[in-house]
Amino acid sequence: MSIVTRKIQATMLSLAIASALLLSACSSAPAAVEPTKAPEVAAEATAVPEPTAAPEAPTAEPTKAPEATATTEPTKAPEATATTEPTKAPEATATMAATVAVATKAATKVSAAAPTATEAAAVVADWAPRQLTATLSGSGASFPNPLYQVWISVYKNVVPGVQLSYSSVGSGQGKKDFIAYLTDFGGTDSAISSGDVATQAPDAMHLPMVMGGVMPMVNISGIKTSLKFTPETIAGIYLGAITKWNDPRIIKDNEGVALPDLTITPVYRSDSSGTTSIFTDYLTKVSEDWKSKVGSGSAVSFPAGIGASGNAGVAATVLNTNGAVGYVEVGYALAAGFPLPYVKNAAGNFVKPETANVSAAANGLNISSDPKKLAMSITNSATADAYPIAAFTYVLVRQTTYKDAIKAQALSDYLYWGLTTGQGATVRLGYAPLPEPMRKASMTALKTMVVDGKSVIDAPVK
Amino acid sequence: MRISIRTADSDVEGHMAQRTTPPEWSTGKSPLRHGDVPFRAGTIMLASAVVLLVFAIAWMLYTSSQEARTAFGWDLLFGSAWNPVQTELNPISFGGWPAVRGTLLSACIALIIAAPLAIGIGIYLAELCPISLRTPLSFLVELLAAVPSVIYGVWGVFVFIPFFNTAFATPVSESIGTFLPWFAGPIATGRGLLVTGVILALMILPTIASLTRDVLRLVPNTQREAMLAIGATRWETIWLAVIPYSRAGIIGAIMLGLGRALGETMAATMLVGNTQRISGSLFAPATTAASLVANELTNSVSSLHESALIAVAFALFGITLFLNFGARLLIWYVERNTRGGRS
Amino acid sequence: MRTFNYRRRKLTDQVMRGLSALATGCAIIPLIAIIGYVLTIGAGAMSWSFFSDVYQPPSSAPEPTADKPAPAYDPNDPFADISVAPIDAAGNVDPTVSVYNAAPRGGVLHGILGTLTIAGIGLLFALPIGIFAGIYLSEFRNERYATIVRFCCDVLSGSPSIVAGVTIYVLVVLQAKQFSAVAGSMALAILMIPIVTRTTEEMLKLVPETMREAARGLGAPVWYSTLTVVLPAALPGIVTGVMLAFARGAGETAPLILTVLGSNVISMDIFKPMAALPLLTYRYTESPYPGENTQAWGAAFVLMMLVLLMNILVRVATRKAGGNSR
């Protein structure tokens, strides 16, 4: 009898183990399946840029762009070519402009404003970063993280001795680590509060590095077109007032799109974040309801939705959730092959977060001459073709309190490089280059950095 | 030749057999003879480092959480609003109830699933398993107890959640969920307390199972033999003689498992959804105390925020300390009362 | 009546024995599935560059190979191979190849080195305390203070790993004003100490009392007999404990989030932030890029292999130790 039971037990167990092994053997299948899913999604992206943009956003491109060009181009571009080596420079500018143009085409349309800035930025031939040896660590915003990682990986070729590392942990921690002297530099999309600046970081400088747009990234299976959002629908979704994709308020702006009866899952940042700060700053400006119920800040308590950590976490959550919407930096959605949405701006136009439109948000900025006061909000810009949820992202550096001169020199070289050559990478990754005046202001501020009273960088502001 | 030996508790004096050349250290003149006092002092000192560490942790958690504790008191654990940033409508407040609730619920789910299974495994491994299977199975269970929690998280995110969503969460929320709010939909990301609980169950299973097995093995064979001798079946022997004998130990094992489930950080952070809002449904995203601390401590926005998070960690430490104390007491009780079990 | 009762008892016996076997089977399926998934999918992420390269930002550019190396750095177009969607020679965008379905780039060498360094230094912190506390608990086991030490050891081993992280974050990171590998090592040491202590204690207890008595009978002082007779006899067992502690430390993630911050390059300065494998696993799991998700599996695979290897070594070692002392 006991032999029988033992046999039963043995068979049960071996069955269990066999099935487990089978299961694990099958597991290689999902791995193989995953990549095949991708082309489909990527193909969706193709539909986005060209055809739909033209009829639906007529107001966006033509009106403002030339003006932007006018302000920057004539003064800057010739000067850049003039100072550089005669044979090489024009060629360089030409190739740069070409690649930028192509890259912008990848993202969407080209406006004159974007290439002008990069063109000028790309070439500063009478300056080269010093070959120093230093280790620099920074932490902060995930918003510019893809760009910073690219900069770092390319900068390794320029100055091999400088070891840079940037951890994408969110603006909140970036600011906190920087204030607490845990890192050499910080990354943030929202300024350190004036109270903290006064008490804890009196010499902190916010150097604008690049511009970017925050967009609602939408995952509804079967819908590959760009959706249109108004401030009211975005606020409604995140307030929990609009809970279905086929809500009449959303349908009203998206006629012709077969929106399903699907629950909306808003995704927000669970960490203290500059992206949240930009997004809520915008919503506070456009929605009274939002202003009174939630407010703005880097870690507000959202009335609806689920949290995810970092821009990457939000993008990943949206990617894996049917019916989800999350606010992310444009590059994260582009990289995942998601369509760019339209958002209604202050002028009443539906605008996509394309490079030109993001750049347009910085038009007519009144830049302070105080190097410590470069941080400013540009959400809900009044410019006709401006994308409304746009922002500068900043690197935090210390004006006077670096102890190690070599370190400060290496850091300032890197940042200067980012403000010049580095701007060429922006468009390719879904960001917008800094507008010329702001870029110069940032460089001027960078040049005020001193160690023991001695300036650490001597480079032309151009 | 007369020598005296110092041992820990008494001086032992004895005679050594005649040797032509006694070892140097036994002559009574070698400096080696005086090593015992410093040796004991040294071991005590390093052992005290362990004690000191515990007190340092407790002291640090206590003092660093002072600011928040004086400001909010018990609201830190039972208040329901967690607003680190001042806004017009929401004043700053740190109410950890969503996290505490999430921790308790997910640990309870884990325990409900894991405890019976783990005890079954323990019984099987200690009493029923064919000898040839015992060693590999025990090894497997111990191996699984050593798998890092982040791996459970990876598996949970990529494999288990999609499977769980289609196979369980969606049908359940559409049927039972329509009248029972605990299982109400919608299933959005699939991250939530139930998924976390299930994965935590998998994590604590090996822990409880191997401890149960150890405790059962401590039961003296005489207990089994006596039972079998009066004609009991194997199961009766286990149920009536072995388990009652080691009941305290099994409860101790479960408490240790509970402790692990309560304090687990990574798997919970990756699976729970990290949402500071209380939802009636177990499918809805939530948060746990450990993942709250892991997510927010490094990017806390004010010293009060930091202090509140440390207070949450303090509570976690207190609970696990209490559980451990209880569990060890029970296991120690079993060990003291069962000498001569089978190995 | 009697037969019925007997049959019922017999049936209960078989049903319950079957159920306990079933419980074992049921529980072991998902557990084996975890190992299976990690080993199969993770093995798919293995490549030479996975072990030899560090983090590379996601790009649609193809992974450089031996016959098609990465383009040399061109100062005029430094970002040639970086784009969210690739651009061909004619200047056209190929939208079917985006970062989203690009192959994983780079590797986790920085994480592997970081983990070995952090866990290794953690072990250096934990070893003296753990071993001597273990000796104290075993050789002076009847002292009242030993009970307190033992209890504290249990408290440490039972306390959540995040608590160790919080402790070091507040006491070391915030004081030293620096995220650093050493801080991570200290946090891991807190988790390793109880493991080393308890194994040392258990292994020393397994050494037969007769060996101690023999040594003392020859006139050896306690410290001499402990260090030269008892400890060597228990050494294989203690080594296993140390290896298990190393494996446990290497797999911990939560304390590292609060202490080492992470890094994307190889940094061997232990007073600076450093990368670690479990951190990479966590970050890559939360990433939207499938290439990084694959690397998360790969990193999990490496961690799993470490645990497997340590456990198998331990198995072999204890078998030897068992032969000596049991």
Side-chain angles (χ1 to χ4, degrees), chain B residues 51-80:
Chain B
V51 181
L52 212 75
L53 205 54
V54 172
F55 280 100
I57 292 173
W59 171 81
M60 185 283 298
L61 291 173
Y62 179 81
T63 51
S64 301
S65 62
Q66 188 82 47
E67 186 185 351
R69 281 185 296 110
T70 47
F72 296 103
W74 287 105
D75 265 8
L76 278 172
L77 295 185
F78 302 111
S80 57

Side-chain angles (χ1 to χ4, degrees), chain B residues 152-173:
Chain B
Y152 283 94
V154 173
W155 186 77
V157 167
F158 290 129
V159 180
F160 188 70
I161 285 186
F163 166 77
F164 185 82
N165 275 355
T166 48
F168 184 81
T170 311
V172 166
S173 69

